[in-house]
Amino acid sequence: MMVLSNEGVKCGVPHCSLCNEPAVLFQRHLDRHLCKAHVIADMELRVTNTIKTRQMIAPGDCIAVALSGGKDSTALLFLLHRLLPQWENVRLVAITIDEGISGYREETMHSAEQLTRRLGIEHHCITFSALFGNSLDTFLEGRESQACSICGILRKKALVVSAQQAGATKLATGHNLDDEAQSVLMNVFRNDLPRLVRNSGVDSSGKFITRIKPLSLIPEKEIAVYLILNDVWNELPECPYTRYAMRREVRSMLSDFEYKHPGTMFNLMKSKEKIECCGKGSVISESLRSCRECGDPCSGDLCQVCLLRQTFD
Ligand SMILES: [Zn+2]
Ligand SMILES: [Zn+2]
C-alpha cells in the first residue's frame, strides 16, 4: 500500500489512527494517519457536512457541475454522484467550457467525456467562440500577462449561461481549500475586500444562479489521494497560461507556510468568514446593480464581461 507521507512516525509503517490498518494519508493539521477506507469515509462525511451546514442543496435542485476535466472538478462530480441519494429528487448535469486553448483543452475535454459517460450524467459543452466570437488564444494575443483574469471573467459568464441553458438551479465548482485560501490572500494583497466578501459560495440576492463550492474545505492533496484511491486519477497537462499568474506565487508561498504551520489555510478561511459577517451592510459590501449593456448583475455601470468586450473592439 502506498504511503504518501510518513511524517510524525518514529519507526515502521504508519497505521491508521482510527482502525490500525496501514495508513495512506497523514493529515498534518490533525496529526492523524488514515487508511484507505477512512480517507474515503472522512472525505465523504466532510463534504456532506459542508453541503448541509451551508444549505447548498435543496430537494428538487438540478445542479450543474462545472467539469473542466481536471482533478478538482472530476472529484466534485464523482463525489456528488455518490452522495446524491441523500437528497430527494436532485439531479446532476455536467458542463464543460472549451475556452480554445490549443494543446491543452483537447485532453481535459476527453477526460470529462469519459467520466460523464462512465457515471451516466448528461454533459453540455460550450465554446468561447460560440459565445464570445473568438477563442481565448485569439483574445489573449499581446496580453498574455492578463490571461487568468480575462479567462476567469469569460469562464464565469460561460458557466452561468451554460448552467441556465441546462435548466440548472445551482452551479457547483470544484474550488478546494488551497484555491479558496489563495483567493483570500490575493484579495487582501490587492486591497479588494468587496471581492473577498463577494466570493462567498451562496448568493441570496436571487438575481443570478447560486454558486456552490462543496470542496472548499478540502485540501488539494486530499482530493488527489481520494481520486487515486477511487481509481479516477488522471494526470493531465497544466494550463499553459498559469505561468503568468500571481496565483502561482501565492500558491507556492502558502503551501510553504501550511507545511511549517499546519492549519494556516483553515485559519484563513475562518478569518474570511468573520470578515464576511462584519462586512454585511458596511462599506465593504457593494450593492448590486444591473449592467447597462446586458442586464447582468454588477457593481458599476457595466459588468466585467461588457467592460472586457469594449477592449476587444
Ligand atoms: Zn482506518
Ligand atoms: Zn454586461
Side-chain angles (χ1 to χ4, degrees), residues 16 18-21 34-35 38:
C16 178
L18 301 177
C19 74
N20 223 30
E21 286 292 309
L34 292 181
C35 67
H38 277 113

Side-chain angles (χ1 to χ4, degrees), residues 14-266:
H15 287 263
C16 178
S17 310
L18 301 177
C19 74
N20 223 30
E21 286 292 309
V24 295
L25 174 76
F26 179 58
Q27 294 173 314
R28 286 177 62 86
H29 60 290
L30 298 173
D31 193 24
R32 179 170 87 162
H33 291 276
L34 292 181
C35 67
K36 176 178 175 176
H38 277 113
V39 166
I40 293 175
D42 178 64
M43 167 80 89
E44 293 175 359
L45 179 67
R46 278 189 294 152
V47 174
T48 302
N49 285 343
T50 302
I51 292 173
K52 288 189 173 166
T53 53
R54 301 190 179 193
Q55 299 171 317
M56 290 178 171
I57 298 179
D61 264 342
C62 170
I63 299 172
V65 178
L67 178 67
S68 70
K71 59 183 168 33
D72 298 319
S73 62
T74 296
L76 177 63
L77 188 66
F78 190 83
L79 267 157
L80 287 181
H81 179 255
R82 191 173 268 186
L83 300 176
L84 215 58
Q86 296 184 53
W87 288 271
E88 244 175 89
N89 188 26
V90 173
R91 193 165 71 86
L92 288 181
V93 293
I95 54 181
T96 302
I97 312 298
D98 183 351
E99 306 90 349
I101 304 175
S102 71
Y104 162 68
R105 193 37 94 195
E106 296 84 350
E107 262 186 84
T108 49
M109 189 63 89
H110 177 68
S111 157
E113 277 162 7
Q114 263 186 328
L115 182 70
T116 50
R117 213 174 304 129
R118 175 176 159 190
L119 301 178
I121 291 171
E122 191 182 306
H123 188 201
H124 299 251
C125 299
I126 192 166
T127 65
F128 270 15
S129 297
L131 204 55
F132 306 115
N134 253 322
S135 71
L136 185 67
D137 284 343
T138 313
F139 283 137
L140 290 182
E141 275 166 26
R143 46 173 152 185
E144 288 81 1
S145 65
Q146 295 164 269
C148 292
S149 63
I150 292 179
C151 181
I153 291 167
L154 297 176
R155 262 182 68 79
K156 218 175 255 179
K157 172 77 175 176
L159 284 172
V160 169
V161 170
S162 184
Q164 282 166 341
Q165 283 175 355
T169 51
K170 304 267 167 69
L171 171 61
T173 56
H175 295 90
N176 60 42
L177 175 65
D178 299 50
D179 299 326
E180 292 296 284
Q182 288 156 19
S183 295
V184 172
L185 269 193
M186 287 165 70
N187 288 327
V188 172
F189 287 172
R190 292 171 173 149
N191 188 25
D192 194 348
L193 291 187
R195 177 167 294 185
L196 180 68
V197 177
R198 205 163 53 222
N199 256 344
S200 75
V202 179
D203 163 62
S204 53
S205 71
K207 281 192 180 173
F208 51 114
I209 192 162
T210 300
R211 293 163 55 97
I212 58 171
K213 299 175 183 176
L215 306 183
S216 58
L217 294 177
I218 308 291
E220 186 177 291
K221 182 179 103 177
E222 295 188 24
I223 290 176
V225 175
Y226 180 84
L227 288 175
I228 293 168
L229 296 178
N230 280 291
D231 205 21
V232 273
W233 172 259
N234 218 343
E235 192 67 59
L236 289 167
E238 192 184 24
C239 174
Y241 291 112
T242 58
R243 67 173 178 274
Y244 300 107
M246 172 191 186
R247 184 175 287 277
R248 199 186 178 118
E249 294 171 57
V250 172
R251 178 192 166 128
S252 145
M253 181 188 70
L254 195 52
S255 340
D256 192 39
F257 229 81
E258 177 67 37
Y259 183 80
K260 289 179 192 152
H261 310 281
T264 295
M265 293 199 220
F266 280 111

Side-chain angles (χ1 to χ4, degrees), residues 291 294 303 306:
C291 170
C294 71
C303 72
C306 289

